[in-house]
Amino acid sequence: MAFSPVDPAAFEASRRRTGLLLLPLAAMATAGAWLLSYVNHSLNPVDRWFLPLLSLEAVGLTVLLYFRRFGVREVEAGALGGLGLYQLLMLLYLVVSGEVYRDGFGATSLWYPLIFPLAFLVLPREQALRLSVAYYLLGLVIGLAGMALGAVPTLKALNSFVQFYVVCVAYLVLLDIYARVREQYFVMRHMAHTDPLTGLANRRAGRERLEHALGRAQPGRVAVLLADLDHFKEVNDRYGHPVGDQVLREVAFRLDQELREGDLLVRWGGEEFLILAQGTDLEQAQHLAQRLGRAVQDEPVVGTIGVSLSFGVAVFRTGDSAETLVERADQALYRAKHLGRRRVELEV
């Protein structure tokens, strides 16, 4: 499993909570806008039919998201598509009715550029940019079509027209710049939290993830395993550091293959690895360490070179910090080394 400095599950949960908050608000807002326009006898044909549909879509997406029938991205894409279609239909109506050439863009049009940040939120940068540019150009063609067919805008409408489309371009440029900076930020963050040799989380990332896990952990349900390669210095001395690097990569790969999706494997330093196993008690952690040891020890890792692992295991206790938990695992690892290596020792 490729390591990500951002916990994917936590990020997905955050987006889901945001969706469950915003979608009901959107449903109420569209329903309220329809009701107010109806009371004021100002409903246009698009609002008359499409605002109720948007409200129903928001309610439906809320239900699908709440019961996990749709993923977060599918719900976000549905909301993006519904809003984009509504804005294009509204723009088309304003052009066909001639309203935009008499009075300029009204309050409804202020929502038109909202598609741009939503696209950059839901899609990768290049896809978001292509979709946003296509959406902008389609809106521009609709707006110019009326003038091409003979509509003459008032000076007030022309000023509104120019500002609207120029501001949209400014939004697009700024969003693209922001997205590029964000990409570079995540690249740099990934480099700062990833071990370049094995591709695993490094000590900095491991400590951050461990502290986060302990902040919401129940006593006895989070385990830390420290694993150390036995006699690894002899491998480097005999075969050279390039071979030693291959050994480390292969050991990391085998360990990672044995872990669950929610577990975290960290290159803690040198030939030492840390495994963070959530929802795991001491007995389960012991079995996990034994299984990890067999995965590495049963077959040679590089050519005919075989290695073994020593493990120290500890579980979270009330009042533990990341330092105290790792310290107990380290003490257990020291005992495993002292008692002959190639073994698993538990905290005392």
Side-chain angles (χ1 to χ4, degrees):
M1 294 177 289
F3 168 70
S4 170
V6 178
D7 186 348
F11 185 59
E12 187 80 358
S14 176
R15 293 181 76 156
R16 184 172 180 273
R17 288 192 299 269
T18 302
L20 290 173
L21 173 65
L22 293 182
L23 285 170
L25 292 177
M28 290 187 289
T30 50
W34 184 91
L35 182 61
L36 289 173
S37 298
Y38 178 80
V39 171
N40 293 328
H41 305 287
S42 58
L43 273 176
N44 59 59
V46 176
D47 283 346
R48 179 181 299 276
W49 298 107
F50 215 87
L51 283 180
L53 291 177
L54 279 179
S55 184
L56 289 174
E57 182 198 30
V59 171
L61 291 176
T62 301
V63 173
L64 292 171
L65 184 61
Y66 181 81
F67 290 103
R68 302 181 186 275
R69 300 297 182 182
F70 277 12
V72 175
R73 287 199 174 275
E74 288 80 5
V75 169
E76 291 173 340
L80 177 65
L83 181 61
L85 180 58
Y86 167 72
Q87 289 296 333
L88 288 173
L89 288 174
M90 178 58 71
L91 181 59
L92 183 61
Y93 166 76
L94 292 175
V95 168
V96 171
S97 67
E99 184 178 331
V100 71
Y101 304 116
R102 294 192 305 270
D103 305 319
F105 287 99
T108 304
S109 303
L110 296 176
W111 294 93
Y112 188 88
L114 184 62
I115 294 298
F116 304 145
L118 286 176
F120 279 89
L121 176 67
V122 175
L123 301 171
R125 183 186 63 81
E126 291 186 359
Q127 293 181 23
L129 183 61
R130 287 196 293 269
L131 176 65
S132 297
V133 169
Y135 173 75
Y136 170 79
L137 291 176
L138 183 57
L140 181 61
V141 168
I142 292 173
L144 294 175
M147 287 191 286
L149 294 175
V152 180
T154 64
L155 289 178
K156 174 186 174 181
L158 183 62
N159 178 54
S160 171
F161 196 89
V162 172
Q163 290 196 45
F164 175 78
Y165 285 107
V166 170
V167 166
C168 283
V169 172
Y171 283 153
L172 276 175
V173 172
L174 290 174
L175 279 169
D176 186 57
I177 293 173
Y178 165 75
R180 289 175 184 273
V181 172
R182 184 180 62 179
E183 284 182 352
Q184 290 300 312
Y185 165 77
F186 280 114
V187 168
M188 297 300 293
R189 180 174 172 81
H190 187 271
M191 292 173 62
H193 289 76
T194 304
D195 173 54
L197 177 64
T198 61
L200 302 177
N202 61 18
R203 191 182 187 108
R204 178 205 301 266
R207 182 177 295 276
E208 289 180 2
R209 193 70 64 85
L210 177 59
E211 290 173 348
H212 178 72
L214 295 186
R216 56 185 181 182
Q218 296 180 353
R221 298 300 297 165
V222 172
V224 165
L225 294 72
L226 280 179
D228 190 78
L229 279 169
D230 299 325
H231 305 295
F232 183 68
K233 184 177 183 300
E234 295 179 8
V235 174
N236 278 330
D237 291 343
R238 182 174 180 181
Y239 299 100
H241 288 281
V243 174
D245 289 346
Q246 292 181 48
V247 169
L248 287 171
R249 282 193 290 265
E250 178 62 22
V251 169
F253 174 77
R254 294 190 187 183
L255 293 175
D256 193 50
Q257 292 297 106
E258 294 294 322
L259 297 178
R260 303 166 299 179
E261 185 175 348
D263 297 334
L264 179 67
L265 177 61
V266 181
R267 187 179 180 197
W268 199 242
E271 64 270 25
E272 193 172 51
F273 298 89
L274 180 145
I275 298 97
L276 171 62
Q278 302 192 55
T280 304
D281 60 27
L282 190 59
E283 182 179 359
Q284 292 169 329
Q286 181 182 24
H287 293 321
L288 173 60
Q290 292 168 344
R291 189 174 78 245
L292 292 173
R294 289 192 298 269
V296 172
Q297 295 156 188
D298 285 355
E299 296 181 6
V301 290
V302 176
T304 60
I305 302 173
V307 294
S308 63
L309 288 168
S310 298
F311 287 89
V313 180
V315 295
F316 174 66
R317 299 174 182 173
T318 301
D320 259 340
S321 64
E323 289 76 12
T324 57
L325 179 56
V326 172
E327 176 62 24
R328 289 202 309 278
D330 193 51
Q331 291 172 0
L333 175 61
Y334 177 80
R335 287 198 306 276
K337 291 287 189 180
H338 185 70
L339 294 173
R341 296 180 171 85
R342 197 186 176 102
R343 59 187 294 127
V344 177
E345 286 292 320
L346 307 181
E347 64 177 348
V348 294

